Amino acid sequence: FGSSHLVGQLRAIPTDPCARLPLPIGATMAIKGLKKKVASKTKKQTLKFTVDCQQPADDNIIEPKDLEKFFAEKIKVEGKTGNLGDKVTVSREKAKIHVTAESPFSKRYLKYLSKKYLKKQQLRDFLRVIAPNKTSYELRYFSTKDDNDEE
């Protein structure tokens, strides 16, 4: 007489282990392997690049201070020129221009700006921008075979 009563209660409990139980209102189900993106308060990486214009400066072809000024005016920070703030600093030491910037800054952008400056000064046909190492560029003359034959 009491067994039919128990069978009715057992049917109400899901036998499938994958069956979903109702969640309380406002609760969300966590997905395994999915983690929330947490804004980390780590120190921004500072990048230091150098543009060496020793050769053309020795021959008085370009003025390093003009290139430094050009960088300061043209470097974009967050899509705006003249917005260097404390994220980018441009300094000069004789014929070397040092650019120190916070993390999202590419070395390639300095090469682009250097070429733009050379084009503006109409020196792009005589000088080229070469990367001697990972953190610097150099302005050098195009080496032609005619120069070597004459010497």
Side-chain angles (χ1 to χ4, degrees):
F1 73 100
S3 62
S4 66
H5 184 260
L6 288 174
V7 172
Q9 286 181 348
L10 290 174
R11 276 192 226 133
I13 298 171
T15 55
D16 184 15
C18 295
R20 289 189 172 191
L21 295 174
L23 292 173
I25 297 172
T28 58
M29 202 165 182
I31 300 170
K32 194 172 187 179
L34 185 69
K35 294 179 181 175
K36 287 185 179 180
K37 291 181 182 176
V38 180
S40 60
K41 293 185 178 182
T42 58
K43 185 184 168 197
K44 287 270 187 179
Q45 183 182 8
T46 54
L47 305 167
K48 295 178 183 179
F49 299 112
T50 307
V51 179
D52 185 5
C53 41
Q54 186 69 50
Q55 288 180 345
D58 288 345
D59 297 337
N60 293 324
I61 291 184
I62 65 168
E63 287 288 326
K65 66 178 181 184
D66 292 340
L67 181 58
E68 177 192 17
K69 184 181 173 194
F70 182 82
F71 282 160
E73 290 172 358
K74 297 288 182 177
I75 289 177
K76 284 187 177 183
V77 177
E78 296 172 2
K80 296 176 184 174
T81 56
N83 185 25
L84 297 183
D86 58 346
K87 292 191 176 188
V88 179
T89 56
V90 181
S91 60
R92 180 172 48 93
E93 182 182 307
K94 294 183 182 176
K96 289 186 178 185
I97 294 144
H98 301 285
V99 178
T100 309
E102 281 186 9
S103 172
F105 190 85
S106 71
K107 180 182 167 196
R108 184 89 182 131
Y109 183 52
L110 272 184
K111 184 174 187 176
Y112 161 77
L113 287 174
S114 301
K115 286 178 165 185
K116 195 171 179 175
Y117 174 79
L118 292 174
K119 185 75 173 172
K120 186 179 173 187
Q121 302 295 320
Q122 297 174 346
L123 296 169
R124 187 81 176 83
D125 297 333
F126 311 106
L127 293 170
R128 63 186 190 157
V129 185
I130 296 176
N133 59 48
K134 230 176 178 180
T135 59
S136 67
Y137 281 117
E138 230 174 74
L139 298 183
R140 287 192 195 161
Y141 293 106
F142 279 107
S143 57
T144 55
K145 293 180 180 176
D146 297 339
D147 292 344
N148 296 336
D149 293 342
E150 290 173 5
E151 290 177 1

